[in-house]
């Protein structure tokens, strides 16, 4: 049985637009800001290896599951889950999965926007030549001074939220297709330039060794949890973002191929970012575990020294902002689509309301770097807690339930039909086995291990 639903929000013009949009969602601060700093905090190579294994064994199969659910339901994740549960004769409580995704997206965007605001501030700094000839110590001070100033952070956070709501209000297609088409390749080229610079720092091999030589004594159960959480985060999985992008996907496009392309592009960008940053870290005697400020304390050193550094620095942070922008819209799209579907609101109204709420929540993250920096729980600030709760708990749990729904609730005939794979073929069997057994098991083991039960 093949379903004939259509999305009321429109469809991507062709499968490449889906690939671009999904890559735009996947490639973002997660690759360039977060991957290097959590790799630095968790000891390097072994962490990277666990992360790569999670991408391959958990990330890609779940991405396929999410896209297929979205394309079959053709609605916001909440309504898609409702509809598919009815279709499969199951409880409509499955729509709770959509709801938890909406909450996760809102929480993630609230801090994502604050960090994207840092990138905006650095566009300004780079273009005004603030990095020129700056020694490592002063680059660090520049960052510390920025995060110590709540007014500045609120300003840039507000600007980024405004940009995001503007695109979301215009609709995903008209809003972002063009930007993603040119800016993603540009970001890729600029990362290559940065790696080129890193090769000449004198510490390139040390950087590579840190990234790619696994030392398993350095990894903890919590580190494994963070690596798995990041696989979800970086591929935008577990909260319905990829599901809703799938709901705009044309029926003929191959879900398996497009998912693999998106995951590979995302991984390459993260590894390039790591290869650009760690040589600078070691060449300047910096601390790999410096935390969320890592790229903001390393890359400006390079921009301050290389010829044309102000230009390259400006372009780099502009592209980083665009990468964050195309990710941010996918975090809020499920909520906006639901308000349009169920409340009959205009996209403008829905975007405005969601944006305001997210902006307000973001103030918590702003203050966690200054006024509230001494308020911690389990050694974590408000921002740390928010990041931990969403990336390492909500997304993997969301992914777990998506896997259970796709491989235990839905009939193989339904999923094989949507994936356009032969039910008896090796490709379908491999996917089904991974989603039915490996993914749920892996997520459960990592959870139990992290809370010390294994
Ligand atoms: N993947 C994006 C990044 O790496 C962030 C992101 C966008 C995201 N949409 C998401 C994370 C949905 C989790 C869920 O920067």
């Amino acid at each position: 049985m093949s379903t004939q639903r259509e999305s009321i929000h429109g469809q991507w013009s062709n499968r490449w637009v889906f690939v671009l949009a999904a890559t735009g969602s996947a490639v973002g601060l997660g690759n360039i800001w977060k991957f290097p700093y959590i790799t630095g905090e968790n000891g390097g190579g072994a962490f990277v290896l666990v992360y790569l294994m999670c991408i391959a064994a958990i990330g890609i199969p779940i991405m396929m599951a999410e896209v297929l659910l979205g394309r079959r339901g053709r609605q916001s994740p909440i309504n898609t889950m409702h509809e598919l549960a009815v279709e499969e004769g199951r409880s409509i409580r499955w729509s709770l999965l959509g709801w938890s995704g909406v909450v996760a997206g809102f929480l993630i965007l609230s801090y994502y926007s604050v960090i994207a605001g840092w990138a905006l501030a650095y566009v300004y700094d780079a273009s005004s030549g603030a990095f020129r000839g700056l020694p490592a110590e002063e680059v660090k001070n520049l960052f510390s001074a920025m995060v110590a100033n709540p007014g500045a952070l609120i300003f840039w956070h507000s600007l980024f939220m405004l940009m995001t709501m503007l695109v979301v209000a215009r609709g995903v297609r008209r809003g972002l297709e063009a930007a993603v088409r040119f800016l993603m390749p540009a970001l890729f080229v600029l990362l290559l330039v940065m790696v080129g610079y890193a090769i000449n720092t004198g510490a390139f091999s040390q950087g590579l060794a840190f990234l790619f030589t696994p030392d398993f004594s350095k990894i903890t159960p919590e580190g494994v949890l963070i690596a798995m959480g990041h696989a979800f985060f970086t591929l935008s999985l577990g909260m319905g973002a990829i599901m809703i992008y799938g709901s705009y996907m044309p029926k003929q496009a191959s879900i398996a191929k497009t998912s693999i392309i998106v995951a590979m592009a995302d991984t390459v960008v993260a590894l390039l970012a790591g290869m650009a940053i760690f040589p600078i870290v070691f060449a300047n005697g910096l601390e790999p575990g410096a935390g969320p400020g890592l790229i903001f304390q390393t890359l400006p050193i390079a921009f301050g020294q290389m010829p044309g550094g102000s230009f390259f620095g400006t372009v780099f942070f502009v592209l980083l902002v665009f990468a964050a922008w195309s990710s941010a819209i996918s975090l809020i799209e499920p909520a906006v689509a639901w308000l349009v579907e169920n409340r009959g609101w205009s996209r403008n109204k829905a975007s405005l309301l969601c944006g305001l709420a997210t902006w307000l929540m973001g103030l918590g993250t702003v203050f966690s770097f200054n006024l509230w920096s001494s308020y911690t729980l389990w050694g974590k600030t408000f921002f740390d807690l928010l990041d931990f709760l969403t990336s390492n708990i909500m997304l993997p749990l969301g992914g777990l339930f998506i896997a259970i729904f796709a491989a235990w609730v839905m009939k193989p005939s339904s999923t094989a039909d949507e994936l356009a794979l032969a039910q008896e073929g090796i490709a379908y069997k491999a996917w089904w086995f991974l989603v039915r057994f490996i993914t749920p098991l892996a997520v459960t083991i990592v959870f139990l291990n992290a809370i010390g039960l294994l």
Side-chain angles (χ1 to χ4, degrees):
M1 183 194 68
S2 184
T3 45
Q4 298 301 329
R5 288 187 199 102
E6 283 191 17
S7 169
I8 61 164
H9 310 282
Q11 231 184 61
W12 308 115
S13 340
N14 59 59
R15 79 176 159 122
W16 286 110
V17 180
F18 169 79
V19 170
L20 282 170
T23 309
S25 166
V27 174
L29 296 172
N31 305 63
I32 293 167
W33 159 75
K34 194 173 180 189
F35 171 73
Y37 96 74
I38 58 178
T39 298
E41 285 180 338
N42 289 283
F47 177 86
V48 173
L49 192 67
V50 175
Y51 155 79
L52 290 175
M53 281 166 27
C54 289
I55 295 280
I58 304 179
I60 294 177
I62 294 220
M63 182 178 281
M64 289 173 60
E66 242 195 92
V67 177
L68 101 79
L69 294 186
R71 191 169 70 179
R72 209 164 177 82
R74 292 274 189 223
Q75 295 160 64
S76 66
I78 297 171
N79 292 333
T80 284
M81 290 313 300
H82 184 116
E83 185 107 9
L84 294 181
V86 170
E87 185 175 292
E88 302 288 335
R90 296 306 173 98
S91 162
I92 57 168
R93 255 170 292 173
W94 275 101
S95 60
L96 283 176
L97 184 53
W99 281 106
S100 78
V102 165
V103 173
F106 161 74
L107 295 178
I108 294 174
L109 185 56
S110 79
Y111 75 77
Y112 202 84
S113 168
V114 175
I115 313 293
W118 297 357
L120 278 171
Y122 271 54
V123 170
Y124 176 79
D125 287 348
S127 63
S128 57
F131 305 148
R132 215 169 285 144
L134 225 52
E137 194 52 36
E138 283 179 40
V139 168
K140 196 171 164 196
N141 294 340
L142 192 72
F143 177 77
S144 312
M146 175 182 73
V147 295
N149 180 350
L153 297 192
I154 291 175
F155 173 77
W156 296 113
H157 162 54
S158 311
L159 184 59
F160 185 80
M161 269 323 293
L162 211 67
M163 289 163 55
T164 304
M165 288 359 279
L166 230 77
V167 175
V168 175
R170 294 197 63 189
V172 175
R173 259 186 71 183
R174 274 193 312 156
L176 227 86
E177 228 173 283
V180 176
R181 202 175 294 238
F182 296 106
L183 295 166
M184 285 293 129
L187 178 68
F188 185 78
V189 171
L190 218 77
L191 273 175
L192 288 180
V193 171
M194 295 308 293
V195 175
Y197 173 84
I199 291 176
N200 292 317
T201 55
F204 191 63
S205 52
Q206 204 181 341
L208 279 196
F210 181 76
L211 271 176
F212 297 116
T213 313
D215 173 356
F216 285 97
S217 68
K218 292 220 183 96
I219 193 138
T220 58
E222 192 185 357
V224 175
L225 177 66
I226 294 173
M228 179 181 75
H230 188 62
F232 283 95
F233 185 90
T234 193
L235 295 177
S236 304
L237 298 177
M239 57 71 65
I242 289 294
M243 197 185 291
I244 197 146
Y245 277 14
S247 80
Y248 308 144
M249 189 188 200
K251 180 80 188 167
Q252 318 80 293
S254 157
I255 291 178
K257 275 188 211 137
T258 46
S259 299
I260 291 172
I261 294 172
V262 172
M264 295 218 307
D266 185 79
T267 305
V268 169
V269 171
L271 295 179
L272 282 178
M275 287 160 65
I277 285 156
F278 285 108
I280 303 176
V281 170
F282 294 118
N284 292 280
L286 301 170
E287 184 49 55
L294 185 67
I295 67 159
F296 296 96
Q297 295 169 8
T298 49
L299 294 179
I301 302 175
F303 295 128
Q305 292 170 359
M306 63 169 71
S310 295
F311 170 76
F312 283 122
T314 308
V315 175
F316 179 85
F317 285 109
V318 166
L319 293 174
L320 182 59
V321 167
F322 272 96
W325 201 3
S326 60
S327 299
I329 56 171
S330 72
L331 282 162
I332 204 75
E333 177 67 16
V336 170
W338 182 81
L339 286 169
V340 172
E341 285 165 10
N342 288 44
R343 294 275 177 271
W345 288 12
S346 66
R347 284 194 74 94
N348 283 340
K349 184 172 167 194
S351 308
L352 188 69
L353 181 97
C354 293
L356 270 177
T358 315
W359 178 83
L360 208 64
M361 182 82 194
L363 296 182
T365 294
V366 165
F367 297 141
S368 77
F369 287 100
N370 36 67
L371 305 179
W372 299 351
S373 59
S374 56
Y375 297 121
T376 56
L377 197 63
W378 303 299
K380 289 180 161 63
T381 63
F382 180 83
F383 157 74
D384 295 329
L385 286 171
L386 206 54
D387 173 42
F388 192 87
L389 172 73
T390 50
S391 301
N392 303 337
I393 298 175
M394 295 184 82
L395 297 180
L397 267 184
L400 177 66
F401 282 105
I402 286 168
I404 292 174
F405 190 85
W408 290 89
V409 171
M410 285 179 84
K411 289 180 276 300
S413 57
S414 312
T415 47
D417 166 56
E418 199 61 46
L419 291 173
L421 295 172
Q423 213 176 310
E424 295 309 318
I426 177 83
Y428 180 79
K429 287 267 179 248
W431 172 80
W432 192 75
F433 182 77
L434 283 170
V435 176
R436 190 171 165 97
F437 301 111
I438 303 303
T439 307
L441 209 65
V443 173
T444 310
I445 290 175
V446 174
F447 272 147
L448 293 179
N449 195 21
I451 56 175
L453 286 182
L454 276 183

